[in-house]
Every structure is written in C-alpha cells, then in structure tokens.
Amino acid sequence: MPPLAFSPEVANARAEGRPIVALESTIITHGMPYPQNLEMVLQVEDDIRAAGAVPATIAIMTGQIHIGLAPDRLRYLAQTRDALKLSRADLAVALASGQTGATTVAATMSCAALAGIEVFATGGIGGVHRGAELSFDISADLQELAQTRVTVVAAGAKAILDLHKTMEVLETLGVPVIAFGQDMLPAFWSRESALAAPLRLDSADEIAATHVMRARLGLPGGQLIANPIPVADEIPSATLTPLIDQAIAEARAQGIAAKSVTPFLLRRIFELTDGASLKANIALVRNNARLAAKIAQAVTRARLA
Ligand code: PSU
Ligand code: MN
C-alpha cells in the first residue's frame, strides 16, 4: 500500500464520491515568492470549492504522500526554504527518508493517480528547454503525461521553453494536447503562441468524455488541456520575449542547470516585469482551477452514467 495521508476534507469527498481536483506544490515552494504563493494556493483552493469540487494539494511530508493539506501545512510550505523539488525520480527517496518536499507536475500526477484522482490543475507544465539539443533538458512532466492517466489543465507549456520541441515530444509520446476554446496553442502568460494546437475542445463535458474514452480504449497516459489565460490578465508576447531571452542568457552565463533552471527563470522574469508575470501566473492558475473543477464534475457524472 502506498503511504497516502488524506486530509479530512479530501477523505470526506472520497467517501461521498464527490469530484476532486489535485494541485501541485512546487508552484508554491519554487514557483512563486512568499506571501503571494500562500495567497495563491488559498485562493485557488477556494475557487475549486466555489466551482463545486474539492481541492487536494499534494506534497511529501512525514514520510507520507499528503493528499490535501490543512492551512497550517500550506503556510509552512509557503514559508520554508528547505522543501525539496520532487519529481517522479525523487519520490521514493523522499518518502523513505522522511524528507519534506513539494511535488512537480510529474510527481503530482503519479501521486494523484495513486489516490484515484483523475483531474489536476496547475500553471504551466515543464517541457523541452531551449537549447535541449545540447543540454538534453527535457522535463519529466512530458514522460509522466505519457504514462499516467490524469487530465492536466495548464495554460500551455511555460513560454520560457521551446514550445515547438515540446509539442513534438508530446506528439511522439502520444499525449493529446487539447486547446480549450481556441485553435492556437496558448503560451502561459500570453493567450496565443505561434503554433496551432493539435486538438481543440470547447466544453468541460467534451473533455470529460475524451478522458473517459481514453480509459475505455485502455490507453495509458493523460491528456494536456491547454487553457488560455483570460484576456484581461495576459501579457503580450512582444513585451515578454526580450525579457525571457535575457533571463535565459543570464541562466546560461551563471551555469544554472537541472532542477534550478525553471525556478531561476520564473524568479528573474518576475523581477524583470516588476511583478507583472506573477500577477498573470496567479490569474492563469485560478482560471485553470475553475476549468478543472468543471471537468472533474463532468468526469464524476460520466462515471455514474
Ligand atoms: N507551473 C507554474 N509554476 C511552476 C511550475 C509549473 O506556474 O513553478 C513547476 C511545476 O511543478 C513543473 C515544474 O512540474 O515547474 C517544471 O520543472 P522542470 O522544468 O525542472 O521539470
Ligand atoms: Mn529540467
């Protein structure tokens, strides 16, 4: 039996068969500064409740996979500088040795699947970094999407990545990338990238139906729902592109590598945009949480039908 520890709220939801939405914790510990990270997760959890589902933020503590975190635990994670960034490869070591860590998209998906949770909301997934032809830096999030049956709602892949290569790898891995309500692939802080999305759906019900169909077909792996940031919150890509380029150049010059790359770039872009990137990031996570709550409800209905 995996060492799962459910919060009372999530345990109740499970007992009553109510829809649950998983949330990751790396976005709290490594993706945003304090106190906005804490405000963000409390707000996002409330958004999910208001939309009729139950939030389950996932993290590793006390040798257990916590599915749902009480506010004091969220506060601790938001403030500590000691939490590790845990991907799938790190999970067993962290659990067996009692380390405290936040789960990435990849690790959150595998923990959600262990807990029977099928829908997960985040900001943006990891992907293929620019220059990956030399660095080989490709996020484990992509491989996880290929093998774990969870529908992930994100605002696309983070615009710090090579979106074209990221889409090519997802296609190779057989992961459906479905833009929500538009033809173009969103680019995290901006509504549109230069790429057309391979697939498009326009309602939570259709997304739930395809989620259930994948299971009926016996297909492993999840689907990536690419949900564009709301119009009022987006940052035009023309504004961001030079700042992203600058942040990437600085990361290279400073020899930032492996797990540190994404947190470094997010922090630098926050500084270079005077905090505007963080405001947009919070808005898009909330938008994704609301859609995920609707999808989770629709999946629950579809399972009962
Ligand atoms: N989305 C955000 N902020 C983040 C992340 C996603 O809005 O900080 C995190 C996720 O946990 C994702 C990770 O899995 O960044 C990707 O890290 P890497 O590129 O090292 O795989
Ligand atoms: Mn990486």
Side-chain angles (χ1 to χ4, degrees), residues 129 137-139 258:
H129 280 270
D137 189 349
I138 301 175
S139 177

Side-chain angles (χ1 to χ4, degrees), residues 139-290:
S139 177
D141 295 353
L142 303 185
Q143 184 65 45
E144 196 68 38
L145 277 161
Q147 61 186 18
T148 302
R149 214 177 264 156
V150 172
T151 285
V152 180
V153 184
K158 283 188 274 291
I160 54 177
L161 301 166
D162 186 323
L163 286 190
H164 177 78
K165 290 195 183 74
T166 300
M167 295 306 294
E168 290 293 342
V169 170
L170 286 168
E171 183 186 344
T172 302
L173 293 172
V175 176
V177 179
I178 302 168
F180 181 66
Q182 67 179 32
D183 294 327
M184 300 306 284
L185 193 72
F188 200 65
W189 296 288
S190 314
R191 282 178 67 79
E192 294 201 342
S193 66
L195 302 175
L199 298 161
R200 165 182 176 160
L201 291 174
D202 293 299
S203 73
D205 282 308
E206 290 172 295
I207 294 167
T210 62
H211 175 95
V212 171
M213 182 57 73
R214 288 183 58 83
R216 288 175 63 190
L217 295 174
L219 291 170
Q223 30 181 28
L224 175 61
I225 309 304
N227 185 29
I229 183 172
V231 180
D233 301 303
E234 82 167 323
I235 306 179
S237 58
T239 310
L240 272 180
T241 302
L243 305 179
I244 292 173
D245 291 346
Q246 181 184 337
I248 290 174
E250 289 177 10
R252 283 201 188 127
Q254 294 177 37
I256 308 288
K259 281 178 187 237
S260 306
V261 174
T262 297
F264 175 90
L265 293 177
L266 290 176
R267 188 165 56 248
R268 270 312 272 149
I269 292 164
F270 166 74
E271 292 162 0
L272 294 170
T273 60
D274 287 322
S277 67
L278 178 59
K279 232 175 122 243
N281 198 345
I282 292 171
L284 67 85
V285 179
R286 294 186 62 187
N287 191 46
N288 295 339
R290 289 186 291 258

